[in-house]
Amino acid sequence: GQQLNQSPQSMFIQEGEDVSMNCTSSSIFNTWLWYKQDPGEGPVLLIALYKAGELTSNGRLTAQFGITRKDSFLNISASIPSDVGIYFCAGTNYGQNFVFGPGTRLSVLP
Amino acid sequence: DSGVTQTPKHLITATGQRVTLRCSPRSGDLSVYWYQQSLDQGLQFLIQYYNGEERAKGNILERFSAQQFPDLHSELNLSSLELGDSALYFCASSGDGGGVEQFFGPGTRLTVL
């Protein structure tokens, strides 16, 4: 079946640093999504990408839909303690059969 | 608060038992999705309903079933429970069948002893 890979699996950064993470797939998707999950809570949608090559920002977060439609990237600028959590990418075609990556666990050191 | 509610929050039961998890989507959302998240794992898509009809099926075991009722709430039924079924079960809703922006509930933590 379809699988997504996320890298890195986990990262420890200093407060104020920028963060980059990516998500790759063996299959093409026409929509990419990035979610953040805090411990014990449901994922929260951060950014949705609908077009290959698209670059979308949400505050300090910027995500890009790769031109091959098989990858996506998420950047967080000037990290703060509340950025701690697990970041999941997800791919879907026409809103069906959502596939989630295993997540990138982010820790921010003060 | 996403507007999606799930009950119960926690559920502890024994192997071989059957449980029902309940989800109420955001007001106006027609699609409901169910996911399973095992410890330190990603989300596994189980099943999607749209306006009462099954729309898509993922990695859902035959021991599991779901339905969406006329008032759009959904239930996930898990039967003949095994230890490996212990997980967080999330429900998400979106605006229509093609809506991709899903809003997740707080989850139900199922523990099978």
Side-chain angles (χ1 to χ4, degrees), chain A residues 72-85:
Chain A
S72 180
F73 309 88
L74 177 69
N75 295 310
I76 305 173
S77 63
S79 59
I80 59 177
S82 62
D83 291 334
V84 167

Side-chain angles (χ1 to χ4, degrees), chain B residues 4-63:
Chain B
V4 178
T5 60
Q6 289 187 247
T7 57
K9 193 166 178 60
H10 300 279
L11 196 50
I12 301 174
T13 188
T15 55
Q17 296 298 304
R18 173 189 169 94
V19 296
T20 297
L21 313 183
R22 182 188 169 103
C23 168
S24 292
R26 292 188 317 158
S27 177
D29 282 359
L30 299 178
S31 276
V32 169
Y33 307 78
W34 285 98
Y35 293 87
Q36 179 192 58
Q37 185 178 39
S38 301
L39 188 65
D40 289 336
Q41 297 285 314
L43 292 149
Q44 294 292 320
F45 167 67
L46 296 178
I47 198 164
Q48 177 199 358
Y49 277 81
Y50 172 72
N51 203 20
E53 304 269 332
E54 182 183 306
R55 174 65 71 93
K57 220 172 200 179
N59 300 318
I60 188 166
L61 299 172
E62 285 191 12
R63 299 184 287 108

Side-chain angles (χ1 to χ4, degrees), chain A residues 60-80:
Chain A
R60 293 178 298 105
L61 278 61
T62 301
Q64 183 160 26
F65 191 143
I67 57 173
T68 66
R69 293 200 285 155
K70 290 186 176 182
D71 55 9
S72 180
F73 309 88
L74 177 69
N75 295 310
I76 305 173
S77 63
S79 59
I80 59 177

Side-chain angles (χ1 to χ4, degrees), chain A residues 30-31 33 35 37 40-45 48-50 86 88 92-103 105, chain B residues 9 33 35 37 40-45 48 55-58 88 90 97-107 109:
Chain A
N30 66 14
T31 302
L33 305 150
Y35 286 85
Q37 186 178 25
E41 298 185 13
V44 174
L45 180 65
L49 301 157
Y50 299 99
I86 304 176
F88 291 103
T92 183
N93 289 312
Y94 308 103
Q96 296 193 25
N97 291 330
F98 284 79
V99 180
F100 278 75
R105 186 180 296 271
Chain B
K9 193 166 178 60
Y33 307 78
Y35 293 87
Q37 185 178 39
D40 289 336
Q41 297 285 314
L43 292 149
Q44 294 292 320
F45 167 67
Q48 177 199 358
R55 174 65 71 93
K57 220 172 200 179
L88 270 167
F90 287 104
V100 298
E101 297 185 16
Q102 296 182 26
F103 296 86
F104 282 78
R109 180 173 293 281

